[in-house]
Amino acid sequence: MATPRKPIISGNWKMNHNHFEAIQCVQKLHYRLDVDDHENVDVSVHPPFTDIRSIQTVIESDKMKILIGAQNCYFEQKGAFTGEVSAPMLAKLNVTHVIVGHSERREIFGETDEDVNKKVKAVLGNEMTPILCCGETLEEREAGRAEAKVEGQILAGLAGVTKAHVASMVIAYEPIWAIGTGRTATSEDAQNMCAFIRGVVAEACGAEQAEAVRIQYGGSVKPGNIAELMAQPDIDGALVGGASLEADEFAAIVQYRNH
Ligand code: PGA
């Protein structure tokens, strides 16, 4: 029998919200969500680094169930890497989930598949969960190269990762043309690619690992399209950008079962 996978919905705030705004947003989100929501869905927020300590304090002192996430980290443990933040530093703040290889990191900051793989290993090595991002450009999709691109990113990202670790990971499929554009992949396209990713994981790492790994869809997820996406068998959650900045909207996404 298939392992039931607990859905995970993650808010990627990108470079938005200072630490005061972050505290307010987390408090409001906590107020909007109830115990059942947290039982049904893992909810993580991924603020800028400067906010993490502030939200950690609020989340822990009020015993909130919201998971603390980060958007990136460097793969070295420490040293002369001006401007970078290490995985151990994040682990010390009780961060549990770290987005790795987001398309904005790859495209704007030149992160390679090799960097992404090292980051995946650094995150896992510090007992946190990577959210490994993949996704094709519009040009690649139109040229029929979407699957090849995503397969390459997944295989490179998972290279040398132990099977047990693979099973514990989250993969986010985010077609680049759907990010911040208001243009969502159809739930059928999203399902097809998520099923394809599960197949790639099965082939590379084993059927059990593929059954356990959680796959999120990301790209213009909103309260109005989340239910249909979550109804797909291989979509186990969402990575939400713009719509996670406002607590009411993000809570409505987490509560997709109600609509
Ligand atoms: P979006 O961003 O929801 O604003 O499209 C998604 C993401 O980049 O993670």
Side-chain angles (χ1 to χ4, degrees):
M1 212 183 96
T3 335
R5 294 180 294 267
K6 185 177 183 187
I8 174 163
I9 297 186
S10 304
N12 173 13
W13 292 357
K14 309 192 178 183
M15 199 171 72
N16 296 290
H17 287 343
N18 63 38
H19 71 289
F20 293 115
E21 294 161 335
I23 290 170
Q24 276 189 344
C25 187
V26 161
Q27 282 173 329
K28 203 166 167 192
L29 181 63
H30 170 65
Y31 177 76
R32 292 275 180 268
L33 299 179
D34 56 35
V35 182
D36 277 1
D37 296 327
H38 289 293
E39 252 159 42
N40 292 327
V41 183
D42 285 337
V43 181
S44 62
V45 292
H46 300 251
F49 290 132
T50 49
D51 302 351
I52 296 179
R53 175 63 180 158
S54 305
I55 69 151
Q56 181 211 5
T57 305
V58 170
I59 286 174
E60 290 177 1
S61 65
D62 285 355
K63 299 192 169 48
M64 297 178 186
K65 299 273 189 243
I66 299 166
L67 300 168
I68 307 167
Q71 300 172 18
N72 180 33
C73 73
Y74 196 51
F75 50 76
E76 295 289 354
Q77 301 285 301
K78 62 176 186 171
F81 304 102
T82 302
E84 294 298 315
V85 170
S86 72
M89 290 169 182
L90 296 177
K92 205 74 183 162
L93 291 165
N94 293 343
V95 165
T96 57
H97 292 76
V98 184
I99 299 169
V100 176
H102 188 279
S103 60
E104 285 152 18
R105 300 283 332 157
R106 295 178 190 259
E107 304 236 310
I108 306 171
F109 301 101
E111 274 186 21
T112 64
D113 278 337
E114 201 190 356
D115 296 330
V116 172
N117 179 241
K118 287 184 189 162
K119 291 182 179 196
V120 165
K121 289 174 178 160
V123 171
L124 288 166
N126 286 278
E127 283 158 31
M128 298 179 291
T129 303
I131 298 180
L132 169 61
C133 299
C134 60
E136 80 286 357
T137 61
L138 188 56
E139 200 189 359
E140 287 161 340
R141 172 156 286 255
E142 285 172 350
R145 288 188 280 122
E147 290 190 345
K149 166 79 175 291
V150 167
E151 178 172 19
Q153 288 178 323
I154 296 298
L155 293 178
L158 297 180
V161 176
T162 66
K163 287 186 172 191
H165 272 155
V166 170
S168 73
M169 282 178 59
V170 177
I171 293 174
Y173 167 58
E174 299 201 301
I176 295 170
W177 45 271
I179 296 178
T181 57
R183 201 178 147 180
T184 330
T186 63
S187 47
E188 194 188 344
D189 282 347
Q191 160 60 23
N192 287 344
M193 188 62 94
C194 291
F196 172 77
I197 292 169
R198 206 176 294 288
V200 169
V201 174
E203 195 145 312
C205 313
E208 245 178 78
Q209 285 64 36
E211 198 50 53
V213 75
R214 292 186 289 177
I215 305 179
Q216 295 175 321
Y217 166 78
S220 299
V221 173
K222 301 274 181 282
N225 58 26
I226 182 72
E228 198 186 326
L229 289 161
M230 292 303 290
Q232 307 303 316
D234 286 291
I235 300 180
D236 307 313
L239 183 53
V240 186
S244 71
L245 291 173
E246 218 278 297
D248 283 331
E249 202 177 5
F250 190 48
I253 290 173
V254 172
Q255 294 166 334
Y256 66 92
R257 281 179 172 78
N258 305 350
H259 41 93

